Amino acid sequence: MKIIYVGNPILRKRSKEIGVFDDSLKSFVEKLTEVMYTEDGVGLAAPQVGVLKRIIVFDDGSGTKTMVNPVMLSFGEETVVMEEGCLSVPGVYADISRPVSVRVRYQDVYGDIFEEMLDGYSSRIVQHETDHLDGKLFIDYISHGKKIAVRSRLIEIMKGNV
Ligand code: ZN
């Protein structure tokens, strides 16, 4: 299992819902979590290892969390700017504005349904990771001026210089 980088068309595709909660799902989640920690990430989405399934794992500092089929039910009105990076866009960091809080519905590896109100760091990570499931990357939110500044780095990544 390996991280794929910006420029790989898989990162721009929509991932598929999980309908079967079996042992292979659990072992996939374990491997995905392992890759996240090995790569020093705080979050990782299945498409980032080339698997188009709606699964994210993250650790906001309070332990590993897994969300299967996460759905954003609503966003808070207030927004906040935070610096983001991404294992699939190595070496690029940018200030991104997103809603402070989000209400999310998801399933665990057993298929049980949960609903949670998140804010702060966990909200930010879940918004970033769930974007991956819809083929979106944080660099899509970068303002035009700043995009010019990161363009040369993006070209380097796409050439394979990660
Ligand atoms: Zn990312």
Side-chain angles (χ1 to χ4, degrees):
M1 199 180 272
K2 268 195 175 150
I3 303 275
I4 60 171
Y5 302 106
V6 61
N8 187 321
I10 292 173
L11 288 173
R12 293 306 192 175
K13 294 195 167 132
R14 191 181 184 278
S15 292
K16 292 202 168 71
E17 309 267 325
I18 300 296
V20 180
F21 297 82
D22 58 6
D23 285 346
S24 75
L25 173 67
K26 290 172 193 73
S27 70
F28 175 78
V29 165
E30 273 170 33
K31 283 187 212 130
L32 191 66
T33 305
E34 214 176 282
V35 172
M36 176 183 78
Y37 286 122
T38 304
E39 300 288 333
D40 277 328
V42 293
L44 192 61
Q48 291 183 273
V49 295
V51 176
L52 287 169
K53 292 179 176 171
R54 302 188 80 80
I55 302 166
I56 66 170
V57 295
F58 63 98
D59 187 341
D60 63 358
S62 62
T64 311
K65 294 205 177 83
T66 303
M67 291 187 177
V68 177
N69 300 328
V71 177
M72 301 300 184
L73 299 174
S74 62
F75 296 95
E77 275 175 30
E78 205 186 324
T79 59
V80 63
V81 173
M82 283 173 82
E83 188 179 67
E84 290 185 30
C86 180
L87 292 176
S88 294
V89 193
V92 175
Y93 299 91
D95 287 337
I96 306 290
S97 173
R98 293 187 194 260
V100 173
S101 63
V102 63
R103 177 169 283 280
V104 61
R105 184 199 291 143
Y106 63 94
Q107 285 166 282
D108 64 8
V109 290
Y110 303 100
D112 291 327
I113 298 168
F114 297 86
E115 219 176 281
E116 254 179 77
M117 187 78 184
L118 303 174
D119 58 20
Y121 200 32
S122 59
S123 166
R124 175 60 57 136
I125 300 170
V126 168
Q127 290 181 63
H128 175 118
E129 299 309 331
T130 304
D131 270 354
H132 278 296
L133 308 182
D134 294 319
K136 271 189 261 172
L137 298 173
F138 82 105
I139 49 172
D140 302 343
Y141 299 100
I142 299 176
S143 64
H144 186 68
K146 173 78 182 167
K147 213 166 234 166
I148 291 164
V150 302
R151 185 171 294 153
S152 61
R153 176 63 194 144
L154 291 178
I155 291 166
E156 285 300 306
I157 298 168
M158 287 177 199
K159 280 184 190 159
N161 299 327
V162 295

